[in-house]
Amino acid sequence: MNETSAVKTVSLTIDGQTVSVPEGDTILTAARRNGVDIPTLCFLEKLKPIGSCRICSVEVEGSASPIMSCVTPVVDGMKVVTSSEQLSRYRQEMMRFILTNHPLDCPVCERSGECLLQNRTFELNVTEHPFRTIDYKKTAVDDWNELRYNRNLCIFCERCVKVCWEIQGFGALAIGGNGYQARIVPTTGETLDCDFCGQCLAVCPVGAISSAIIFSARSWEIEKVETICPFCAVGCSIEMNVKNGALVRNTSNDNIGVNNGNLCARGRFGHESVQSEDRFRTPLVRKGVKLAETGWDEAIENVAGKISEAIKNYGPDSVGVIVSETVTNEDAYLIQKVFRAGLKSNRIETLSNMLNPKLNSGIFDEMGSSAPIASYDRIGEAGSFVFFGCDAEKENPVIANMVRVAMRDSGTPLFVANTRNPLFKPHARQHVRYEYGTETLLAAALIGALKESGLSDGGVGDPSAFIKTSGSVSVSEAAKSAGVSEEAVRRMAEGIKTAGSPLIFLGKEIHDHPKGAEIARALSNLANLAGGRLLLYREYCNSQGANDMGLGPSHFPGYLRTDSDQAAGYYSAKWGVETPAFPGPSPDMLTDLVAGKIKVLMVVGCDPITHYNDGQFVREAIQSAGFVVVTGSYDNETGVLADVALPTTVAAERDGSYTNNEGRVQLLRKGVEPVGQSKPEWEIFRDLGVRMGMDMSYETCEQIAEEIAELVPGYHGLTHNCIARGGALITYPGKSSDAEGYEFDTATIPSDSSGFPFVAIIGNSLFHLGVASRHSKALNHMAPGACLEISPDDAVTVGVSDGDNAVVESVQGSINVKVVVTGRSSKGIVFITKNFENAPATHLIYRKNPVTRVKVSRTGG
Ligand code: SF4
Ligand code: SF4
Ligand code: SF4
Ligand code: FES
């Protein structure tokens, strides 16, 4: 560090000891930095100091009365005393004031034993409760949908108000009324209508905010088991609260994992799915038209027999597997090992890889060192943020929390480019709306504007040379064709240039886009030019790990190509089993199913009929297989077609590891016993492999992790012991460590609007993801069915109003939805939530149309 950038320091004395701390520290921070403990109540590390309780007050020489240490910055020469008789009395008095309206209801309060107020009262030795308001009487508990507010227990510390604004960006809570009438009130109307992230519940130091899910335990009866959220790809740490073998709630902890105690509704309230009555408990085998209960041995025997028969008669290529991206790394590794080394079949897929292999298993072949994977540390270091085709608040909400904190603390500017108007608070410095299908043109315009503004090449050569149509694309032409003004493009480019090192987030819309890989390549040129990085939002908890472990036909684990004799030789030698190379183009599993080439299909943990594009076609394809094996934790649409159905454990019931969006491998821990006879996938595939003649003796998941740590490039050394605390970032392959230029084309996507005026973007609801969330009562209460977001202008044209029921039709099908009229949608674009098996939005997609267009009409209800 050079002298000009050196942090300035301040000298002061704390309890007689001279210390030197960075300028800008508060007295509290300075004291803690030097091992001096000052009691606090309203202070929370992740929030700006609130200064409402006065418990942290200290004596400062020259000040007549104690001052709050959490809000007071240090100054040179300051003399601070943190503990004295007078301070003790002062803090006790403050506690008595705080307790004025607080009944001593500890025996019936659900926070008893984990209440900061209880702890401070005890530590400060406050034994009397002398102050009472004149007309002290209890008020009723407020029903806030998924939360409850008990004004009687509220100490008005304001943590809930601040966390909802500073971290969640919602601002759903405020203090209403004065004096004895004061209470926390929703700003959303009579009751709360918000993201239901539960950050307010988590930070409330007392029992004033509680969950509407009945909590049937006392804190001392609970064992907390740290694990990873099984929903999205952020990889948040959660604590399972287990009482007598049952999962009674999930809590967060600011001191573990990547999420700083923040969770979204799915992570905090989705745990009901674990003990849902809908859980599938026993192996089933088809007997005539019905599925009948059977034992594991019979079921596995049956599957092994059918696979052997298919391989004998039609060859190994007649057996395929589609695997969920929610299986663990250990499951994924073993599934592909059984298929490749045991069955000699390379028909291995995930739904994401089937949709967009270039951004999944082929990502490093496609983009080398510029692959859009970036550590979350980059969020704090970025000069600017660019959300490109990304609705950050709804897609990976806890990443949005991290971005918001960086904006609060560092003033990092945000730029948004989208076909819609996703909301974000604090507001973006600039938002440009482009026409769907013109994304690479907009990227070309931004690159051109950056170049023309004099930015050097960032080591990538002339990025405009990589635009295939660069000869004829000027900034003004490209901007105009993308539906953006030239002035807006130049302003955004200037903003990115001035702020430097952009972190560009590619949303799910880009991941699912017919030109997703092209857009990623285009934007990597932009990022490289400006010294930045891309981060692609993945969908599920182990989407990244599924790719890393070789769940796609083009790569073995660690991105070694399956068409390489050398890679096949490597795994043959390591596995001790002759494993062939698999040359040739990747097969299209669904087309081959329809063509009758696949005789046995295994579907592991997912529901392709509900969650893959063109569900009708998927159904026909799966029906074409002679024998279908489905593994999962709940019944689903695909399960209806099963000949054998095998119950699997959910994340809370097992060990293993997931690799998150940033390439961090993290440990999953077992909190509760599996329901019924369910087993983790690795056990099922181990038993199948053994039946098929493989020599496999894994007894624990950890043994598989050890094999991964020994064999898989990037994962070397990452045993469960090694990742037990905090996880570890994978070392990914890259073509080079230097920034590169990537060719991309600027062709737009034509789409025929006749009869179908709206482009449909289909994505996840904030409250649902995959199969499990539909089995949580709380999440279903928050989002009971599919919604259509439509702009106010379009709503008028179509004749629908907010809350109406409507039918959405495409060339392929129709579904019923609830209408949400919102400025989030722009004219001509509608957004439809997927995940609802009773209204599967993916059934609107026709696989031969790159863009899904729909019409909307109101129904009677
Ligand atoms: S649940 Fe989240 S969004 Fe709702 S009030 Fe609490 S902090 Fe705010
Ligand atoms: S509800 Fe809880 S967090 Fe909010 S002001 Fe009251 S005590 Fe503080
Ligand atoms: S769903 Fe994603 S953002 Fe929400 S708590 Fe789980 S990992 Fe975090
Ligand atoms: S902790 Fe400082 S005022 Fe509450």
Side-chain angles (χ1 to χ4, degrees), residues 229 231-236 263-264 266-268 396-398:
C229 172
F231 290 102
C232 91
V234 178
C236 297
L263 295 174
C264 75
R266 297 177 297 228
R268 204 176 300 273
N396 282 180
V398 170

Side-chain angles (χ1 to χ4, degrees), residues 147 160 163-164 168 170 172-173 192 194-200:
L147 298 172
C160 56
V163 81
C164 188
Q168 194 60 18
F170 204 103
L173 300 174
L192 196 58
C194 65
D195 290 346
F196 290 111
C197 61
Q199 323 292 22
C200 52

Side-chain angles (χ1 to χ4, degrees), residues 717-764:
L718 298 181
T719 60
H720 283 185
N721 260 346
C722 171
I723 57 173
R725 284 221 73 83
L729 283 172
I730 302 305
T731 317
Y732 284 112
K735 280 181 187 158
S736 83
S737 56
D738 298 325
E740 292 181 58
Y742 294 92
E743 224 180 43
F744 66 97
D745 82 55
T746 52
T748 55
I749 308 174
S751 75
D752 178 9
S753 64
S754 48
F756 297 98
F758 303 112
V759 170
I761 311 264
I762 292 169
N764 290 301

Side-chain angles (χ1 to χ4, degrees), residues 28 39-44 49-57 68-71 157:
L28 179 67
T40 58
L41 186 52
C42 67
F43 179 79
L44 191 66
I50 301 168
S52 63
C53 74
R54 296 187 170 268
I55 295 299
C56 66
S57 296
M68 292 180 282
S69 65
C70 70
V71 294
C157 66

